[in-house]
């Protein structure tokens, strides 16, 4: 078992990684001194695989939400709140989310607002949720106007990572999650980048669990360092948005149907590397290193059919903007540069370069 | 002008009381060093009276929500969030709520979750909102299952109280608000109880504004003291629920159509006084003092037609409960006693006594 402590404005919490933990969650929360969650929330895909053993181990009721990003919305939150009220949950109770980022974001948000806030435990079952969504305190839902527009900073009381759940994750989702690993490695752990290249594509045998735990916990170490310095994203936390400005625009421009989030981020990393080079922040070696790491995640959904003007429009709606415009994070030779201004025309130019590349 | 500072876990904020402040809000926020709110939200009743001058003074857009407790729900929040997104508001912007408790609760909650939290200014225009809803950081909406079941602790950045707005408040609402004043006085400022009895029913002339400012600020001094000790209501903040356990049940049992909140609390105070006496916490003088203060708020809507079993059922659903049952706050000779357990049969007995009284 590996563990780390993450600081938050609501106090520190533990992240533990232990193969098989999902099937012995009751014992795990007891050992951690956390009150037993009275409700387990998952989705219709993960529920039968991991929600059921989790609920059984805790002696709790299982709620299954419809699966998919489109259900990360108020009606799902309302549904969860109604179940909790029907179940007689009160302020002192805690709840648990088992699933990918959609589930941890939605259930974390429901926990944040239920009776003005109850404690929750996160059990991420996708690589993306393990290295990103479940740690850092961001919860939320999508509105008609865009992703994550309503939410709260509401850190979990405990995060339990069981890399055995990755065995049931579709290969495509695992690859997409690796884009966040590459991003995190570039921000704060270049050695991890070497480890990834050794492990991926990797021998999926006996050493697998250990390798994944190592990768996940090293990503979380970087994320926790960034987040604890700046929980509410007034400054340095923005580093985590590396690759996300174009990534979000690509997702939005294709109605969230063409890319998995990590796949869009992978394209976003390639664009950010080119922009970093253009702005004199990143040398040729750095750009090459990012390109090589992303290449290992192929195949990615093509961008050839995406209209550059749609991308331009969606970047203009980015959440990370102020009155002076969108703030980009660009890679440098030894990390990232925040608050970079990139003219829309330059973004479109780089986007067109990437389209050319992906056609050839 | 009077002012006070309220502590909160998100930092201290100022409450200022100044007659005429609503019509010069632009100058007021500038003087307080608060960023100018870019959006003013009110309802269709208060909007034309006080929302328009507020928005004009700030040079902001005015949004009017449908008036009434029934609109304290997600669709109103969604409506406000959509306006803010359309208006291009970003994380660094602030917003302002002008109205009664429904507006400050709803808009405060919308501010709490918009882009995971933006700053807001509260301008309460009812006595109830001035002495209670606008200070303390509780925001939220009702769900189908009950009141304030979804929400957040999200204190305003500034509270501006303009007692001139009470001039347009219906007499019935003013009386209802006085029930919270009586409650607050009993908890922590018995001298205020004397002031109320001198002022109410009062000469509504030249001294009026000064008297109201005195009453409001003294209530807030008590509330701020209680809240700063226990912002998230794990302990002493519960004192503020004096009169509210039966009050909430009366509102719920009559579908929120029969009582104004303060009127139900007035009945709740009478019941709590009787229960305090029965439990040996409160002497005859104390019970008499509470009864006299509440009597001054007559006429109250009758309780004669309300079924005792419905009241019993709704008390069982109270939000302030744990696995051992509902926790009552009961008055004592020198304050309140928290975490009191009252058998349901005794509640019904006292409720029947009050029904008898109200018939005679």
């Amino acid at each position: 078992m590996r563990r780390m402590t993450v600081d938050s404005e609501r106090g520190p919490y533990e992240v533990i990684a232990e193969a098989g933990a999902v099937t012995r969650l009751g014992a795990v929360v007891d050992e951690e001194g956390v009150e037993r969650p009275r409700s387990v929330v998952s989705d219709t895909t993960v529920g039968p695989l991991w929600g059921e053993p989790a609920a059984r181990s805790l002696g709790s009721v299982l709620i299954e939400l419809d699966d998919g990003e489109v259900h990360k919305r108020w009606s799902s939150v309302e549904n969860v709140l109604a179940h909790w009220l029907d179940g007689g949950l009160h302020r002192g109770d805690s709840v648990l989310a088992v699933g990918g980022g959609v589930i941890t974001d939605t259930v974390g948000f429901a926990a944040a607002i239920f009776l003005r806030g109850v404690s929750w435990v996160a059990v991420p079952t996708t690589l993306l949720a393990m290295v990103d969504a479940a740690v850092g305190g961001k919860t939320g839902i999508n509105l008609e106007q865009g992703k994550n527009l309503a939410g709260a900073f509401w850190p979990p009381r405990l995060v339990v990572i069981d890399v055995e759940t990755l065995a049931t994750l579709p290969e495509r989702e695992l690859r997409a999650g690796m884009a966040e690993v590459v991003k995190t490695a570039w921000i704060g752990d270049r050695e991890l980048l070497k480890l990834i290249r050794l492990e991926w594509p990797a021998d999926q045998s006996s050493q697998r669990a250990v390798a994944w735990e190592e990768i996940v916990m090293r990503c979380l170490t970087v994320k926790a360092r960034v987040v604890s310095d700046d929980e509410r994203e007034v400054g340095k936390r923005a580093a985590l948005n590396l690759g996300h400005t174009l990534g979000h625009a690509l997702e939005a421009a294709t109605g969230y149907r063409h890319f998995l989030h990590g796949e869009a981020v992978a394209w976003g990393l390639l664009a950010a590397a080119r922009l970093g080079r253009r702005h004199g922040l990143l040398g040729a070696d750095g750009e090459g290193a990012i390109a090589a790491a992303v290449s290992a995640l192929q195949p990615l959904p093509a961008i050839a059919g995406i209209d550059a003007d749609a991308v331009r429009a969606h970047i203009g709606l980015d959440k990370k903007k102020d009155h002076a415009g969108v703030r980009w994070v660009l890679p440098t030779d030894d990390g990232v540069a925040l608050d970079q201004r990139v003219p829309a025309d330059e973004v479109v130019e780089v986007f067109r370069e990437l389209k050319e590349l992906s056609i050839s």
Side-chain angles (χ1 to χ4, degrees), chain A:
Chain A
M1 190 180 78
R2 295 164 196 242
R3 67 162 58 238
M4 61 184 289
T5 305
V6 180
D7 285 325
S8 89
E9 63 178 35
R10 301 192 48 72
Y13 58 95
E14 295 294 296
V15 179
I16 65 171
E18 183 188 316
V22 167
T23 54
R24 54 179 292 276
L25 269 180
V28 169
V29 297
D30 291 352
E31 286 155 20
E32 295 298 317
V34 171
E35 207 199 345
R36 282 209 174 199
R38 289 188 56 207
S39 169
V40 171
V41 187
S42 190
D43 62 40
T44 49
T45 304
V46 177
L49 298 168
W50 303 106
E52 282 175 18
R56 199 178 313 123
S57 166
L58 289 161
S60 308
V61 174
L62 174 65
I63 302 167
E64 289 183 359
L65 301 179
D66 290 332
D67 184 22
E69 181 78 30
V70 72
H71 297 291
K72 186 174 158 181
R73 62 183 179 196
W74 178 254
S75 60
S76 295
V77 172
E78 213 168 24
N79 180 1
V80 170
L81 299 180
H83 272 99
W84 290 345
L85 288 166
D86 289 349
L89 266 65
H90 61 72
R91 283 184 183 167
D93 283 323
S94 94
V95 297
L96 185 141
V98 189
V102 168
I103 284 295
T104 56
D105 280 9
T106 306
V107 178
F109 181 55
I113 67 172
F114 181 61
L115 308 180
R116 296 198 188 89
V118 298
S119 160
W120 70 294
V121 174
V123 183
T125 59
T126 65
L127 181 58
L128 188 72
M130 287 177 188
V131 301
D132 193 23
V135 168
K138 284 188 180 181
T139 69
I141 55 172
N142 305 330
L143 297 179
E144 256 178 53
Q145 294 86 349
K147 284 183 73 171
N148 298 322
L149 293 176
F153 287 92
W154 194 251
R157 173 79 179 75
L158 174 71
V159 179
V160 180
I161 290 168
D162 179 351
V163 296
E164 287 187 3
T165 61
L166 297 179
T168 56
L169 189 67
E171 179 79 9
R172 183 182 168 193
E173 295 216 28
L174 202 58
R175 273 189 281 108
M178 283 300 279
E180 294 282 357
V181 176
V182 170
K183 175 203 82 173
T184 308
W186 195 265
I187 293 169
D189 186 352
R190 294 293 167 85
E191 292 300 312
L192 177 57
L193 213 56
K194 291 180 194 160
L195 183 67
I196 300 166
R197 300 183 69 172
L198 290 174
E199 294 292 331
W200 181 269
D203 167 27
Q204 308 283 308
S205 62
S206 62
Q207 294 306 302
R208 177 183 175 142
V210 176
W212 280 122
E213 280 187 9
E214 171 87 9
I215 289 171
V216 169
M217 292 305 260
R218 284 175 72 157
C219 283
L220 290 180
T221 302
V222 174
K223 179 160 185 183
R225 200 168 64 222
V226 174
V227 170
S228 67
D229 282 352
D230 176 30
E231 193 172 12
R232 288 190 175 268
E233 196 165 1
V234 290
K236 286 193 287 182
R237 183 169 180 159
L240 299 171
N241 292 318
L242 178 64
H244 281 61
T245 308
L246 181 69
H248 283 146
L250 290 177
E251 288 181 272
T254 51
Y256 301 97
R257 282 183 299 265
H258 188 59
F259 299 101
L260 295 177
H261 174 66
E263 293 169 340
V265 169
W267 283 112
L269 288 171
L270 291 178
R274 281 171 179 258
L275 289 168
R277 185 82 198 284
R278 278 164 170 258
H279 288 230
L281 299 163
L282 185 71
D285 287 357
E287 191 194 344
I290 292 175
V294 173
S295 294
L297 310 182
Q298 296 283 359
L300 294 171
I303 58 172
I306 301 172
D307 182 43
D309 287 331
V311 170
R312 181 201 296 262
H314 281 285
I315 284 176
L317 296 172
D318 195 272
K319 198 157 66 225
K320 277 86 178 181
K321 70 175 180 184
D322 54 27
H323 290 301
V326 176
R327 290 174 285 137
W328 285 72
V329 180
L330 295 181
T332 65
D333 283 320
D334 59 356
V336 291
L338 307 182
D339 293 327
Q340 301 298 301
R341 307 294 174 173
V342 180
D345 288 344
E346 194 179 4
V347 177
V348 168
E349 217 173 294
V350 165
F351 179 66
R352 290 201 169 115
E353 286 174 20
L354 291 177
K355 279 172 88 160
E356 293 293 321
L357 270 184
S358 69
I359 289 168
S360 64

